[in-house]
Amino acid sequence: MTQVERLPRDTGKLIPLVEPWFPPSYADAVRDQVLSGYLGPGRTTQEFTTALAHVVGSPRALATVSGTVALTVAAHAIGLRPGDEVLVPAYGVISTINAFASAGLRPRLVDIDRRTACLSAAGVAEALTPATRAVCFVNFSGYTGRNVADIAALCRQRGVPLVEDAAGALGHAHGGRAAGTFGDVGTYSFSVPKVLTTGQGGALVARDNATFDRAAAYIDHGDLEWRRTNLNRGIGTNLRFTDLQASLGLCQLRDLDARLERRRASYAAMRERLGATLFRVPGGEAPLHNIVLTNRPDDLVDALRQSAITAVRQYRTLSQHPAYMELAVRPFPNADYWTARAVYLPFGMAMTAADAARVADAVVGSGLPLDSLDQS
Ligand SMILES: Cc1ncc(COP(=O)(O)O)c(C=O)c1O
């Protein structure tokens, strides 16, 4: 479309920040699972993880209760112990840092690269010290590009394990390699805003079998054989997925291309109107979120509310949270830039191209200045 049609400023229907989207056939699959009588982790969970491993090109995948827990399990699987230092991006969702800090690890913040809101190889190289036991790269809003490939190479060279938090990047790839498979361990989230959601849920993939087995044993009481042997050789806990969730997840995995296409279509409708002021990620996929940056973020949120559109300011420089104030040992100018200016517009699977156009028109109609990130 070359001619951008202006839609009415307020159509009356509230556009929420995010809503999942399921065709009725998915409900039939969940109903069939319930009627089968198998609800706990069993054959459908196995089918789901096998399909997931296939999609991301990894030998095996392990499903667990959330993306946050998948990161904690990843830390355990690569041998991190309480007190160990992990580098994490200074800006973003609280889940990543909490996953490590709640296990007694010591997160250290590294500023993000302004263009991508991800860690850069230069930033990580500068931050690595002999005390660093792991690096966590977050694929911000699905970003899967050079930064993660370069950081994976750097970590290999320096002998530091890399955890890739690909929570929102399922289906994204760079150089033929799937998000989540660049590091020693990669994790995914199936929370409600994601392209694939099971309500709550997460998964993990690992480069080597021993790491994978440690993760698999940990989420099932520390031993992969204990139900057969009645002996537990390690300490673990119960963080397993359920067949009920897997039945819903499996439908979406089978439809993953179509779901990604649906997301691309709503993003394209917004991008057509907002151009380079709408955050993008490299490659052909849409970012998970629709983000614009402005020096008047609260005014933009208010203006959109007038048009029955829910937008929010979310995420911040992590050392601004009372729980992590002691990590403010140096300035994080790029994290602060994103904290001060990012507005998260409606996104997600239920959003149609028409809704996306209405949101973008309301952003343009607000007359507020928007930044353009140089993402060339
Ligand atoms: C980058 C990132 N990491 C981790 C998580 C945590 O996932 P979950 O909500 O499934 O625990 C999220 C969830 O939004 C996320 O966006």
Side-chain angles (χ1 to χ4, degrees), residues 66-69 71 93 95-96 138 165 167 189-191 194 200-201 315:
S66 72
T68 308
V69 161
L71 285 167
V93 67
S95 324
T96 310
V138 177
D165 178 357
S189 162
F190 309 130
S191 67
K194 307 299 188 293
Q200 293 287 317
Y315 307 157

Side-chain angles (χ1 to χ4, degrees), residues 215-224 226-227 232 237-240:
Y218 184 71
I219 71 160
D220 191 10
H221 295 298
D223 194 297
L224 292 170
W226 72 271
R227 284 186 185 73
N232 292 66
T237 182
N238 179 7
L239 299 168
R240 290 173 302 151

